[in-house]
């Protein structure tokens, strides 16, 4: 199925998804005309790093399979692959040409330039699930077309990397580690902070690593370290890129690694992990792929986002494009709202949380949740209620909402 989708969209910079998707009956959506085809009147652009990445796929399934079902007046226009600032700017230009009113972004290379372009075209821009530095945020916080940032933030990102490293060092038997830092060396703040968190734990357990953890986190070339009887390789780059994947494969086959700690999804390396008996931990998402990897004992730890966690970001964008942007700012500035990760350390934990993360009939953020913070659907909706709902992201919060 993934291959079919890639064939259909490979030649397009922007593809838009409209019409009603997934018409199974549900109890948490409008029932009077839920299956009626409705012409889209609002287009929202979705900027992603790779439309075939599992996290992106889970988000897309929620937007096009659930949100589109609940709010059929909305059409989502996706980028294909964004791997540079130039790619993102081209997508923004194409999105504007398609009539897009706002951008839900999951990747940024130059936020100030991207927001400036959107302002010039009257499009809103929201970091829908991610982390940016405080300096980057401050550069655009007063721009009325920048809605804000929803995501873990540096403290949670740091903890995610640190907790995963501590789990493998303290709870698992083995002494050879490879740490995949992803885009840390080319400006991906999420990957950088996660990597620093993990490396600080290695310092705590094994002592000085010869360079500062800040320097090691952004290395542009692989670094090999010996820590007494243990060893650690820090490996930068995205394994979705052919040259990085080839180099990573050579490294994994040439060295006897016990563990791979990944700051991002590495599905292209799964077969090698299996063949070499390397046990993986990853900061990623609640996907079917990860479910399968837990089952075959390739994956042993996930700190992940779940598909509907982006629901409140959609609600915030919907408020803006329907004329209520000013009412959903924080003291007149772009908001910063915190959402974190669910964590699973075994198959049972993962399966339980996956069911809530991807449920058809029960969803962590459902139609009623989102409608309650969208001004068009509830005239009493306000910023405080949106913030409260957005930051009630934990599994316990979701279960409490569904028990109502």
């Amino acid at each position: 199925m993934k291959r079919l989708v890639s064939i259909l969209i490979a030649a397009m910079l922007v593809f838009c998804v409209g019409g009603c998707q997934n018409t199974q009956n549900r109890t948490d959506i409008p029932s009077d005309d839920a299956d009626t085809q409705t012409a889209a009147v609002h287009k929202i652009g979705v900027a992603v790093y790779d439309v075939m990445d599992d996290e992106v796929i889970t988000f897309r399934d929620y937007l096009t399979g659930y949100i589109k079902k609940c709010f059929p007046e909305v059409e989502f226009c996706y980028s294909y692959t964004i791997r540079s600032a130039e790619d993102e700017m081209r997508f923004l230009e194409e999105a504007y040409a398609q009539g897009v009113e706002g951008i839900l972004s999951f990747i940024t290379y130059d936020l100030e330039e991207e927001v400036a372009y959107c302002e010039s075209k009257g499009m809103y821009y929201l970091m829908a699930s991610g982390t940016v530095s405080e300096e980057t945020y401050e550069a655009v916080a007063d721009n009325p077309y920048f809605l804000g940032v929803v995501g873990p933030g540096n403290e949670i990102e740091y903890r995610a990397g640190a907790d995963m490293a501590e789990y493998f060092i303290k709870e698992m038997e083995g002494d050879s580690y490879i740490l995949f830092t992803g885009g840390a060396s080319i400006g991906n703040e999420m990957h950088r902070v996660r990597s620093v968190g993990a490396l600080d734990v290695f310092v705590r357990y094994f002592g000085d690593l010869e360079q500062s953890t800040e320097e090691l986190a952004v290395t542009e070339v692989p670094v090999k370290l010996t820590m007494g009887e243990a060893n650690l390789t820090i490996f930068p780059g995205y394994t979705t890129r052919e040259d990085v994947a080839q180099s990573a494969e050579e490294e994994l086959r040439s060295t006897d690694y016990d563990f791979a700690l990944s700051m991002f999804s590495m599905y292209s390396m799964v077969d090698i992990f299996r063949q070499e008996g390397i046990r993986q931990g990853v900061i990623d998402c609640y996907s079917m792929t990860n479910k399968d990897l837990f089952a075959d004992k390739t994956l042993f730890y996930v700190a992940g986002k779940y598909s509907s966690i982006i629901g409140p970001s959609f609600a915030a964008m919907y408020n803006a494009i329907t004329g209520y942007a000013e009412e959903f700012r924080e003291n007149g500035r772009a908001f910063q709202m915190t959402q974190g990760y669910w964590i699973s350390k075994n198959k049972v934990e993962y399966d339980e949380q996956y069911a809530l993360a991807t449920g058809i009939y029960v969803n962590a953020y459902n139609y009623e949740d989102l409608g309650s913070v969208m001004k068009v659907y509830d005239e009493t909706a306000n910023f405080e209620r949106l913030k409260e709902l957005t930051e009630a992201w934990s599994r316990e919060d979701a279960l409490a909402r569904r028990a109502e």
Side-chain angles (χ1 to χ4, degrees), residues 139-196:
V140 293
D142 293 318
N143 189 308
Y145 284 88
F146 179 60
L147 302 183
V149 180
V150 179
N154 283 349
E155 183 176 344
I156 291 177
E157 296 285 16
Y158 179 93
R159 192 74 260 153
D163 288 347
M164 181 168 66
E166 178 145 16
Y167 175 75
F168 279 92
I169 294 170
K170 187 176 179 181
E171 303 295 335
M172 304 286 283
E173 292 186 6
D175 56 13
S176 183
Y177 308 84
I178 183 167
L179 181 69
F180 288 97
T181 60
S185 64
I186 57 172
N188 188 313
E189 181 71 0
M190 293 182 291
H191 295 178
R192 185 192 71 82
V193 177
R194 295 170 190 171
S195 299
V196 171

Side-chain angles (χ1 to χ4, degrees), residues 163-315:
D163 288 347
M164 181 168 66
E166 178 145 16
Y167 175 75
F168 279 92
I169 294 170
K170 187 176 179 181
E171 303 295 335
M172 304 286 283
E173 292 186 6
D175 56 13
S176 183
Y177 308 84
I178 183 167
L179 181 69
F180 288 97
T181 60
S185 64
I186 57 172
N188 188 313
E189 181 71 0
M190 293 182 291
H191 295 178
R192 185 192 71 82
V193 177
R194 295 170 190 171
S195 299
V196 171
L199 289 165
D200 280 349
V201 171
F202 276 96
V203 169
R204 178 151 55 86
Y205 277 89
F206 299 107
D208 181 41
L209 299 181
E210 300 176 9
Q211 298 180 55
S212 74
T213 55
E214 291 281 354
E215 292 173 323
L216 289 170
V218 296
T219 181
E220 297 178 0
V221 297
V223 175
K224 293 197 170 195
L225 303 170
T226 300
M227 311 168 298
E229 296 183 356
N231 60 73
L232 168 67
T233 296
I234 302 156
F235 198 100
Y238 290 106
T239 50
T240 50
R241 302 180 181 183
E242 187 174 349
D243 58 333
V244 177
Q246 182 177 346
S247 180
E249 181 174 348
E250 292 172 357
E251 178 60 34
L252 290 169
R253 294 196 188 283
S254 66
T255 305
D256 186 18
Y257 287 108
D258 296 309
F259 309 113
L261 277 60
S262 308
M263 302 300 111
F264 64 108
S265 61
M266 293 183 61
Y267 302 119
S268 60
M269 297 287 109
V270 164
D271 287 343
I272 301 166
F273 291 151
R274 287 178 177 139
Q275 292 164 14
E276 299 298 317
I278 299 170
R279 292 162 283 177
Q280 186 194 18
V282 67
I283 302 174
D284 185 24
C285 67
Y286 277 77
S287 68
M288 178 59 77
T289 302
N290 284 337
K291 189 176 189 295
D292 293 341
L293 292 176
F294 259 113
D296 73 10
K297 299 187 184 303
T298 299
L299 191 60
F300 285 78
Y301 185 104
V302 165
K305 296 175 183 176
Y306 53 92
S307 59
S308 65
I309 199 170
I310 61 172
S313 290
F314 162 75

Side-chain angles (χ1 to χ4, degrees), residues 296-352:
D296 73 10
K297 299 187 184 303
T298 299
L299 191 60
F300 285 78
Y301 185 104
V302 165
K305 296 175 183 176
Y306 53 92
S307 59
S308 65
I309 199 170
I310 61 172
S313 290
F314 162 75
M317 178 59 71
Y318 192 96
N319 280 327
I321 64 177
T322 52
Y324 298 100
E326 288 300 317
E327 294 186 33
F328 290 85
R329 294 180 74 78
E330 193 162 23
N331 299 318
R333 309 186 84 211
F335 52 72
Q336 290 180 293
M337 298 185 189
T338 301
Q339 291 181 328
Y341 299 101
W342 289 358
I343 294 174
S344 296
K345 300 175 183 177
N346 56 60
K347 181 181 182 298
V348 173
E349 288 181 355
Y350 190 91
D351 289 351
E352 289 177 352

Side-chain angles (χ1 to χ4, degrees), residues 365-385:
Y365 283 105
N366 70 7
Y367 172 78
E368 284 81 7
D369 297 332
L370 303 184
S372 73
V373 295
M374 295 162 67
K375 199 77 173 180
V376 168
Y377 287 85
D378 186 338
E379 63 181 13
T380 67
N382 55 40
F383 175 75
E384 289 72 25
R385 193 189 297 171

